[in-house]
Amino acid sequence: METAREESAQGSEDDAAQEDATSVADVSVEVATVDATLNKLCRRYNRRRRRAKKIKKKNPILDLQNLAILITVVVFVIVVIMWSLLWVFIFRRESNSGVYFAGMFRVANVEFIPEYRHADSSEFVSMANRIQHVITSVYRTSSVSRLYKQTVISDLSNNNQGGVLVHFWMIFVVPHLKGPSVCEDCVSAILKDSVHMSLKNRSSVGFLQGLPVDIDSILVNVALRSDYSSTAVGSQCVDKLYAGVPDVSIPLNVFSSWGGLSCYIKLTSAPGSVIRLTVKSFRIDPSDCVYDALTVYDSLLPMRGMILFRFCEPVSAPISLVSTSNVMLLSFRLTQGNKIFQGLFQALMEEQCMNMIALPAGPGDAGVITSPFNPSLLPRQCSCTWMFQMPSSALGVALRFQNYMLKLKDLQNCEHGWWKVNEIIYCGNYVDHSTVFRIPAQNPEVVFRCSSRSAAQPFSATYSSYNTSQPCPEGHFLCSTGLCVEKFRRCDGLDDCQDESDEIFCSKPPKICESSSPLHPLYICNGEMDCSSGKDEINCTQETSCSGVSYQCGNGACILKKNAKCDGLPDCYDRSDEKDCACGNPTPSKRVSDSAATQQRIVGGINALEGEWPWQVSMHFSGQLYCGASALSDEWLISAAHCFSKERLADPRMWMAHLGMLNQGNAKHVAEIRRFVVHEYYNARNFDYDIALVQLKKAWPSSLAQYIQPICLPAPSQTFTEGHRCWVTGWGYRSEQDKVLPTVLQKAEVSIISQSECKRSYGAISPRMLCAGVPSGEQDACRGDSGGPLSCQAHSGGRWFLTGIVSWGSGCGRPNLPGVYTRVAKFIDWIQRHIQNL
């Protein structure tokens, strides 16, 4: 089974993640109030007592008054203390035991009136009371009747499908030690079962105790108590805006320069329209939405299942997104500081996306098709149909996408677009290169439907006609990506097809050193003496045309030398190849003894030395080793995307980075995490684009340079021939069956394997992956090593480069099934863009 090499976090997650924790500050305020009252009354009594002593007269009336005051004070203090204890231990406990749900459904066959938009109108109150009574009746007679507390109708909105869309809160009281828990699916099922019993004639509308409800519209999500209190009627930080006229822009501006802010803006528009939100500028501190965030919901309540998009980073260029109906909720969470949001929203009338396209017979691009609402992000739900008409049965339609590709649908759902082309289903995926999809039919019908859980990147494609009997021009090779490249480019060492289909399964080019004809580009200036005469390694600083196998200098010029970066020789005219080379040069301690080095083995590994791999980082989730990482600078680490891509793993507050560590538990520096940057095209199904950046909250001190040092990033042209020896390191398991992690950092030597052999082993290998291992499988990475480095030297004694990131594999240490690594050289521009801009 192909698995990511990650270590499952141990222990269950805290149940308090689903509700707010008890506030110690709230309790201390009550206690302080009692103490203050008691002290105040005691001081008053003591002053009167002192005055009585000064008079030195025994007045029985005054003694009775003092006694009455004393008794009153004692009784008052006892009452206050009892009430405080009652509130803290009973009422407060009941409040903390509350489980909150946000939900919505459509009431059909009911006419929406404008007064429903105002919660203080008698019409709203009347309808809300009716719906509330119905929901209460359903749950009072259900299996959770003892736990049900109340329902609160938050909003009534018009709906593009007709009727009234109801947004509501439900509250259950679940004592921590008594009664069963209330699950999200259970609460939703109670509503659906009540409606399902009355469905007739395949209609989706049934009756909820006489209330016509669309069963397909029922959605219930667990929510936080803070969300409920923040959006409740009468809240001071909830604003409602209405767009009644299509295409009229309504400005939105939010400023938070005087402290923290947590507010909501509810947007609605006229029936038959959708809402387009445009974010022009958003100044926040990037923190993975933990502190500063703008969350956009496809509803009027903060429901997890209706999240349209989350802004977790500053926005400089405008971004727009579209709702699926005529409602939208903006949830702002801004911490202290000068935080600014500027944007606008407008109503857009719904349009049928259906196009008839007639193509000319001649060559060349004929036009462009785009995703709905382009250049806005794709909504969660949408549909578009294009019907092409060709002038001849010998012609088909070619769609050239810029950052998108179509593949036949398998047993899994389509996560980035569902396509039907002449009754055949395809799934869309985002990539960072062009692809061509050909339809060999005269009059094809192409249907597209949105299928992402949230707003997705838009796409566009140029369409043209092509000869179905000869897709590519004469003298060209047809790539698996649909691109056409010249035949002479096959097996030239360059990935012209963008998926290596022109480079795999090529016979190794001969080394013709004695001939006057030039050597194959693979052998020229690759750092190895392929010809005894050395002719392949001369004139390597000579400028050449820029390509994937040439090194590009800082001034834009390219030279023949492939591994010129940080090799100790200034090869570029501007000497840019030797800049930023304070990396990859460890100073390990001396080995204690050979026997100590072989005490613990991790799939053929041995103990590392102190300071031998100073860029190695151990990433701990909830206090346990989960993944590895590599240091790129004093602020940034690099790891695998699959370590942080799941929702429960995306919270940086749950992670700690242990740097400068040989033995687990003895790190020289432990750092909190500020944020993760997971590659936007990461594919959890095949681990393509499996790369992520990790930003530390605080840089590690320079005094620890002996133990903590960044590893060098390779140049995009970096190349290592098959068999080149590299090292993989980590604290992962020693075998597939092992259940005990080693305490000492392990290292194992592995060899680079050709892409052809890699594809023979696994099949689905992208150009952004590489394989490394040994034929016997005895040296390999395993679970717990994910995200760690595959470190390589271009030559003995040179600097170490981060050639790969531990990504996935079939088991651990299996023969002829090497480890699969993320090819770092393919992501240099992506890495530098994020590190320099953030």
Side-chain angles (χ1 to χ4, degrees), residues 476-479 485-494 496-497 500-507 520:
H476 283 68
F477 169 76
L478 178 61
C479 305
V485 300
E486 294 89 343
K487 286 184 177 180
F488 69 83
R489 295 187 181 276
R490 256 200 114 219
C491 302
D492 65 349
L494 292 175
D496 301 291
C497 285
E500 297 181 322
S501 57
D502 59 324
E503 294 299 317
I504 58 172
F505 307 124
C506 295
S507 58
H520 192 278

Side-chain angles (χ1 to χ4, degrees), residues 95-115:
S95 176
N96 285 332
S97 301
V99 180
Y100 294 79
F101 293 89
M104 60 188 294
F105 59 72
R106 182 176 71 93
V107 178
N109 306 328
V110 174
E111 183 182 357
F112 181 88
I113 58 177
E115 286 76 12

Side-chain angles (χ1 to χ4, degrees), residues 82-98:
M82 291 297 293
W83 175 257
S84 300
L85 293 175
L86 186 68
W87 182 85
V88 170
F89 291 104
I90 298 180
F91 297 114
R92 178 74 178 184
R93 176 175 293 177
E94 180 176 306
S95 176
N96 285 332
S97 301

Side-chain angles (χ1 to χ4, degrees), residues 529-825:
M529 196 72 71
D530 297 295
C531 294
S532 58
S533 62
K535 63 176 292 188
D536 56 305
E537 296 297 317
I538 61 174
N539 299 324
C540 290
T541 60
Q542 176 182 334
E543 289 193 10
T544 184
S545 58
C546 293
S547 67
V549 294
S550 59
Y551 181 85
Q552 187 169 19
C553 303
N555 58 8
C558 291
I559 58 176
L560 290 172
K561 195 173 186 179
K562 297 178 176 63
N563 299 330
K565 184 176 181 180
C566 299
D567 64 349
L569 300 173
D571 301 298
C572 293
Y573 181 78
D574 59 0
R575 307 175 76 91
S576 57
D577 56 308
E578 296 302 315
K579 293 181 180 178
D580 302 321
C581 291
C583 56
N585 190 23
T587 54
S589 303
K590 292 183 179 180
R591 187 185 300 274
V592 177
S593 68
D594 291 338
S595 59
T598 58
Q599 286 177 355
Q600 291 179 325
R601 290 183 174 272
I602 171 170
V603 195
I606 61 175
N607 289 353
L609 304 177
E610 184 81 59
E612 187 177 9
W613 312 100
W615 45 84
Q616 177 75 50
V617 180
S618 181
M619 299 294 297
H620 288 214
F621 178 79
S622 295
Q624 300 293 327
L625 168 68
Y626 197 90
C627 276
S630 303
L632 294 183
S633 69
D634 59 359
E635 184 184 4
W636 288 95
L637 313 177
I638 190 168
S639 186
H642 74 257
C643 291
F644 322 107
S645 60
K646 296 179 182 178
E647 184 176 355
R648 69 184 183 91
L649 300 172
D651 188 346
R653 294 170 296 184
M654 302 298 293
W655 290 85
M656 299 292 285
H658 294 243
L659 294 89
M661 182 170 71
L662 179 65
N663 299 301
Q664 282 287 343
N666 293 322
K668 299 296 188 296
H669 182 71
V670 179
E672 294 181 313
I673 307 304
R674 181 182 300 277
R675 64 192 296 255
F676 303 117
V677 182
V678 175
H679 199 285
E680 58 271 24
Y681 293 157
Y682 168 64
N683 189 324
R685 293 180 177 177
N686 59 12
F687 300 105
D688 202 6
Y689 299 93
D690 190 12
I691 189 170
L693 294 170
V694 182
Q695 187 178 21
L696 304 179
K697 272 191 175 181
K698 187 177 180 181
W700 45 267
S702 57
S703 59
L704 296 176
Q706 179 183 355
Y707 306 101
I708 308 174
Q709 184 185 131
I711 189 171
C712 296
L713 281 174
S717 62
Q718 187 191 66
T719 179
F720 292 122
T721 58
E722 180 181 355
H724 192 94
R725 308 294 289 178
C726 300
W727 291 83
V728 60
T729 50
W731 288 271
Y733 286 100
R734 293 170 289 186
S735 68
E736 290 185 48
Q737 297 77 27
D738 201 359
K739 296 183 179 180
V740 179
L741 291 167
T743 58
V744 182
L745 177 64
Q746 301 291 289
K747 63 178 182 179
E749 191 176 26
V750 292
S751 297
I752 299 295
I753 296 173
S754 70
Q755 288 295 90
S756 297
E757 286 298 321
C758 192
K759 286 181 180 288
R760 287 191 181 99
S761 298
Y762 290 110
I765 296 295
S766 83
R768 293 158 291 277
M769 304 175 187
L770 65 89
C771 285
V774 294
S776 64
E778 293 178 353
Q779 283 115 274
D780 194 9
C782 201
R783 290 181 300 121
D785 294 321
S786 281
L790 177 68
S791 307
C792 303
Q793 288 177 303
H795 54 84
S796 179
R799 297 186 183 272
W800 291 90
F801 290 88
L802 182 65
T803 302
I805 297 172
V806 179
S807 181
W808 63 278
S810 182
C812 304
R814 298 182 183 181
N816 300 315
L817 289 173
V820 184
Y821 300 80
T822 303
R823 189 189 293 267
V824 178

Side-chain angles (χ1 to χ4, degrees), residues 274-334:
V274 294
I275 297 174
R276 177 161 62 192
L277 171 71
T278 301
V279 179
K280 291 184 175 180
S281 176
F282 192 30
R283 185 190 306 166
I284 58 172
D285 294 329
S287 62
D288 283 333
C289 285
V290 172
Y291 303 108
D292 290 350
L294 166 61
T295 306
V296 183
Y297 295 89
D298 212 11
S299 63
L300 290 179
L301 287 182
M303 302 174 64
R304 184 187 70 257
M306 299 298 286
I307 293 178
L308 191 59
F309 199 76
R310 302 186 78 191
F311 292 88
C312 306
E313 302 177 2
V315 175
S316 55
I319 299 176
S320 63
L321 52 150
V322 180
S323 64
T324 58
S325 65
N326 59 330
V327 297
M328 185 182 282
L329 174 69
L330 311 184
S331 171
F332 289 94
R333 184 171 64 251
L334 304 177

Side-chain angles (χ1 to χ4, degrees), residues 217-283:
S217 68
I218 296 176
L219 179 65
V220 178
N221 282 162
V222 172
L224 296 176
R225 182 180 57 198
S226 57
D227 287 335
Y228 166 72
S229 59
S230 298
T231 59
V233 177
S235 173
Q236 298 299 311
C237 205
V238 175
D239 199 4
K240 293 184 177 181
L241 297 174
Y242 178 70
V245 181
D247 300 322
V248 175
S249 298
I250 301 175
L252 295 170
N253 296 291
V254 177
F255 301 91
S256 176
S257 57
W258 295 98
L261 175 69
S262 181
C263 288
Y264 298 84
I265 299 179
K266 297 181 177 181
L267 309 178
T268 57
S269 62
S273 68
V274 294
I275 297 174
R276 177 161 62 192
L277 171 71
T278 301
V279 179
K280 291 184 175 180
S281 176
F282 192 30
R283 185 190 306 166

Side-chain angles (χ1 to χ4, degrees), residues 81-229:
I81 291 177
M82 291 297 293
W83 175 257
S84 300
L85 293 175
L86 186 68
W87 182 85
V88 170
F89 291 104
I90 298 180
F91 297 114
R92 178 74 178 184
R93 176 175 293 177
E94 180 176 306
S95 176
N96 285 332
S97 301
V99 180
Y100 294 79
F101 293 89
M104 60 188 294
F105 59 72
R106 182 176 71 93
V107 178
N109 306 328
V110 174
E111 183 182 357
F112 181 88
I113 58 177
E115 286 76 12
Y116 286 161
R117 286 198 292 269
H118 308 287
D120 55 353
S121 69
S122 59
E123 291 82 0
F124 177 92
V125 173
S126 176
M127 176 60 77
N129 286 340
R130 177 189 173 192
I131 298 172
Q132 180 177 323
H133 175 74
V134 169
I135 297 177
T136 299
S137 299
V138 170
Y139 285 94
R140 289 295 185 197
T141 57
S142 69
S143 59
V144 295
S145 59
R146 292 186 177 183
L147 306 177
Y148 175 79
K149 183 176 181 180
Q150 66 174 331
T151 294
V152 178
I153 307 302
S154 172
D155 295 275
L156 302 174
S157 66
N158 47 20
N159 187 269
N160 292 346
Q161 296 178 327
V164 176
L165 193 62
V166 181
H167 303 261
F168 60 90
W169 293 98
M170 280 194 294
I171 306 170
F172 292 79
V173 176
V174 185
H176 293 301
L177 301 178
K178 296 180 180 179
S181 60
V182 182
C183 69
E184 181 177 280
D185 292 338
C186 303
V187 173
S188 178
I190 291 172
L191 274 181
K192 291 183 177 181
D193 288 346
S194 300
V195 177
H196 187 268
M197 295 175 61
S198 63
L199 294 178
K200 295 181 181 179
N201 299 327
R202 298 185 180 179
S203 171
S204 64
V205 176
F207 289 93
L208 193 66
Q209 295 196 356
L211 192 70
V213 172
D214 183 356
I215 191 173
D216 294 337
S217 68
I218 296 176
L219 179 65
V220 178
N221 282 162
V222 172
L224 296 176
R225 182 180 57 198
S226 57
D227 287 335
Y228 166 72
S229 59

